[in-house]
Amino acid sequence: MSKKITIPRGTADILPGEVVRWQAIEKKSRDILALYGYREIRTPIFEETELFARSMGQTSDVVQKQMLSVIGSNNFPLDEDGAEKHFLSPRKIDMRGLYALRPEGTASIVRSYIENSLDKSEQLSKLYYIGPMFRGERPQKGRLRQFHQIGVEAIGPDSGSPYLDAEVISLSVRLLNQLGLRNFQLKINTLGTPADKENFAKFLRKQLTDKISKLCPDCQQRLERNVFRILDCKNKDCKAIVDALDVGHSHLSVESQQYYTSVKETLVGMGIQFVESAKLVRGLDYYTHTVFEISSSDLGSQDALGAGGRYNNLVAELGGPQVDAIGFALGIERILLALPQESATNENPLGCYVIALDQKSLERAINLVDGMRQKGLSVDMSYRISSMKSQMRMANKVGAQRVLILGEEELRNNSITVKNMSSGEQKTLPLGDVSSLVEQLGKV
Ligand code: HAM
């Protein structure tokens, strides 16, 4: 027997019964995002690796450990005459650079914002995306190598307002509420300007230097290279050291503190509940000022439903204009895990199911089904002749509201038998033209 090919580790098939839940989340999210003035943007699922390295940070876990490279000349070296050696070679695609599957959406959206000069056409670009992201993480419950995010980014000269921070944060909460989530907690913090961040880093280094020997080997390196990562370390000893740290907001400038106060006051005014956590720094380098994270007690160790924050320098750092920006992303798989499991429902119950009992009826049925579909009816049929009983079973399975039966007798009388599956009522209708049949079907 040939070897079965299985799905890559850390990815999942979403079968039709499950897709219904995804579609409901996507539809509801799109409707809510439109209320807030967000418009959808679609960018490629792979980009130059450098885009992610420069935005998320060379020392971030995502860039250091989780980037998934895309097949290109780097993976399959060119032979002498320039032809790819690999039999699946993407010969026609010029991929001489290093490409990676996108681990998140923000960097790609900023790249696109700059490349399409969106700042020239609007003061504030409110953009959203729904799609797959890829990270080479060790898979576990709620942590996949291909997962999906619903994300928003509000970028532009008019983005730098604490009211927008509050609106974006409240949008993430409203979305989760509307999607049916209940037990979640919003944590917020501010990192201030890059200068404030540098002060914070100095403060942390000072506090941690004499404890260096007790930190895990990774964190010993992080002390110099990226001290903020120590605050997220899962190692027991590092956690204990971090828990004991007394961290406040003394490293922030007065302006940054005022900005943060405005964000909080606006959130309170909107009735959004939050807790403050001065140790919330987020794992990606681009954040400035407000950062936030939403976690759910209905999830296990991977409890973050979503997260986001401000990134006022990223557009300029990637070669664009100096414009402010803020955004967040929610993880769809985690939303689904945290939602109560509903029993599978039939997503699109069929209007009609046509049963043919012999070869002649089958030939007639094919044309009839085609005609009914052209009139806008959802209708299906069995393409093989089998017993009435087994075809009725199939009609039930697909949730058909009406079954149309064609057999020898019906064809002789140029009629069709129609059965309403919920009332059990049965009628014989003339099998004249499709339009009049469709019209009469509504009465059975
Ligand atoms: P993030 O915190 O890396 O932020 O990811 C956001 C959310 O994506 C997480 O809270 C989680 O729900 C989901 N997620 C992340 N990794 C995985 C995984 N391996 N498996 C399943 N779900 C996962 C960002 O991605 C930022 N781009 C958010 C942002 C937008 N900041 C500003 N704008």
Side-chain angles (χ1 to χ4, degrees), residues 103-106 129 135 137 142-145 147 149 152-153 282 284 286-287 304-309 311 326-331 333-334:
E104 57 124 40
T106 312
Y129 48 93
R135 295 184 193 177
E137 302 195 76
R143 188 163 73 191
L144 290 123
R145 289 181 173 164
F147 59 99
Q149 287 185 342
V152 315
E153 314 292 348
R282 307 272 302 118
L284 312 171
Y286 48 62
Y287 291 111
L305 283 170
Y311 49 95
I326 180 167
F328 68 80
L330 305 174
E333 282 82 358
R334 294 196 190 164

Side-chain angles (χ1 to χ4, degrees), residues 386-406:
S386 59
S387 71
M388 174 85 127
K389 201 170 151 199
S390 82
Q391 293 199 60
M392 278 304 240
R393 217 180 297 127
M394 284 197 269
N396 260 319
K397 210 167 159 198
V398 293
Q401 289 150 4
R402 291 181 182 81
V403 170
L404 281 65
I405 305 158
L406 269 180

Side-chain angles (χ1 to χ4, degrees), residues 42-58:
R42 298 185 186 195
T43 58
I45 60 162
F46 63 89
E47 298 267 2
E48 280 198 37
T49 306
E50 193 189 339
L51 172 68
F52 304 120
R54 271 173 55 191
S55 54
M56 304 168 87
Q58 289 282 6

